[in-house]
Amino acid sequence: LAQSDLADATKQGVESEQEEQQATTFDEFLKKEYAHQMKECCDNRNGYMSQLCGLKKIRAHLYQASGQEAKITDCEVSEWTDEPCSASCEGGTQKRTRSIISPRANGTMCPPLEMERECNIHKCPIDCQVSVWTEWTACSAGCGGGVRTRLRHVTVEPRYDGQACPEESETQQCNPEDCNRDCELGDWGEWSGCSKLCHVGHRSRRVPVVVEAKGQGT
């Protein structure tokens, strides 16, 4: 039974290690992809802002060239306000809203004031799970103090910052009594009846042994 448990635990350990390696590789891929996407987003934003600045200058020149007074106010909006994500892990949605700070007057239209995006796409933590305790082993000594042990094994390895595994073995002291023990007697019993009705007879009584002598006890 112990060999079977050891084999199962070894197999589970190898499988968990392989899964952990795969998860680590996937996490590294996600981090690289995130960095790439953030750089691309930042570059695009900078490019759009440069184009917008150029378009505003062209617009102002066109108004001046036509002899019109350039009374232009572009719509201006606040920063995004994010609501809580709908899920703590493995993907949810987050609603974002913003408000109009300065309304449009012959300028650019207001951008969308609401949007939704994905959030918390990381894996949910998986806590360690262990089996129930085995029965205690036999005490290592019959007297004078020994130890006994019980075991349990990991059934689910922790992943994604899940709760770590507790101790898989537990040791306890046992049989602390002295190996040398004196005999202990109880109280005398009642006298028996006399062995003869006349002349000289005898009668007896006994004392019980409560605790047997042990080792070098008397």
Side-chain angles (χ1 to χ4, degrees), residues 70-133:
K71 292 184 178 180
I72 303 171
T73 303
D74 293 327
C75 177
E76 185 179 354
V77 295
S78 66
E79 294 294 327
W80 287 110
T81 299
D82 296 333
E83 295 185 2
C85 188
S86 62
S88 60
C89 55
E90 295 194 355
T93 57
Q94 183 182 54
K95 185 176 180 181
R96 313 185 80 198
T97 58
R98 56 187 174 185
S99 58
I100 297 175
I101 298 175
S102 177
R104 165 180 177 263
N106 298 322
T108 56
M109 302 283 290
C110 292
L113 302 179
E114 292 185 3
M115 68 169 290
E116 283 191 353
R117 65 177 180 178
E118 280 189 311
C119 53
N120 292 342
I121 60 174
H122 59 275
K123 292 285 187 179
C124 290
I126 298 176
D127 295 336
C128 176
Q129 295 184 27
V130 294
S131 64
V132 297
W133 287 108

Side-chain angles (χ1 to χ4, degrees), residues 13-218:
V14 172
E15 291 176 350
S16 296
E17 185 175 354
Q18 291 175 344
E19 290 179 358
E20 185 175 356
Q21 290 176 350
Q22 293 174 354
T24 301
T25 302
F26 185 66
D27 286 344
E28 290 175 353
F29 166 76
L30 288 179
K31 288 178 181 178
K32 291 180 180 178
E33 184 66 17
Y34 174 78
H36 172 73
Q37 293 292 339
M38 286 298 292
K39 182 179 182 304
E40 183 176 348
C41 181
C42 184
D43 291 343
N44 290 338
R45 185 176 185 275
N46 290 336
Y48 296 148
M49 293 300 294
S50 178
Q51 291 180 21
L52 180 61
C53 181
L55 289 172
K56 286 182 177 180
K57 288 181 180 180
I58 293 172
R59 183 180 61 184
H61 287 313
L62 289 174
Y63 269 91
Q64 290 176 0
S66 63
Q68 299 181 34
E69 187 177 356
K71 292 184 178 180
I72 303 171
T73 303
D74 293 327
C75 177
E76 185 179 354
V77 295
S78 66
E79 294 294 327
W80 287 110
T81 299
D82 296 333
E83 295 185 2
C85 188
S86 62
S88 60
C89 55
E90 295 194 355
T93 57
Q94 183 182 54
K95 185 176 180 181
R96 313 185 80 198
T97 58
R98 56 187 174 185
S99 58
I100 297 175
I101 298 175
S102 177
R104 165 180 177 263
N106 298 322
T108 56
M109 302 283 290
C110 292
L113 302 179
E114 292 185 3
M115 68 169 290
E116 283 191 353
R117 65 177 180 178
E118 280 189 311
C119 53
N120 292 342
I121 60 174
H122 59 275
K123 292 285 187 179
C124 290
I126 298 176
D127 295 336
C128 176
Q129 295 184 27
V130 294
S131 64
V132 297
W133 287 108
T134 61
E135 296 294 329
W136 287 104
T137 61
C139 191
S140 62
C143 58
V147 293
R148 61 179 185 173
T149 305
R150 63 178 183 174
L151 305 171
R152 58 185 174 185
H153 63 271
V154 175
T155 57
V156 176
E157 292 283 350
R159 297 175 62 188
Y160 313 119
D161 295 325
Q163 186 176 0
C165 294
E167 293 295 330
E168 296 178 48
S169 64
E170 189 174 66
T171 301
Q172 187 182 73
Q173 290 186 333
C174 52
N175 294 341
E177 64 275 5
D178 197 335
C179 291
N180 298 318
R181 185 176 59 199
D182 292 337
C183 174
E184 294 183 19
L185 301 177
D187 296 330
W188 284 103
E190 296 293 329
W191 286 103
S192 66
C194 188
S195 61
K196 292 184 179 181
L197 295 177
C198 56
H199 299 294
V200 179
H202 66 272
R203 58 181 181 173
S204 62
R205 62 177 180 173
R206 300 177 63 85
V207 60
V209 175
V210 177
V211 178
E212 295 282 352
K214 187 177 181 181
Q216 298 180 359
T218 57

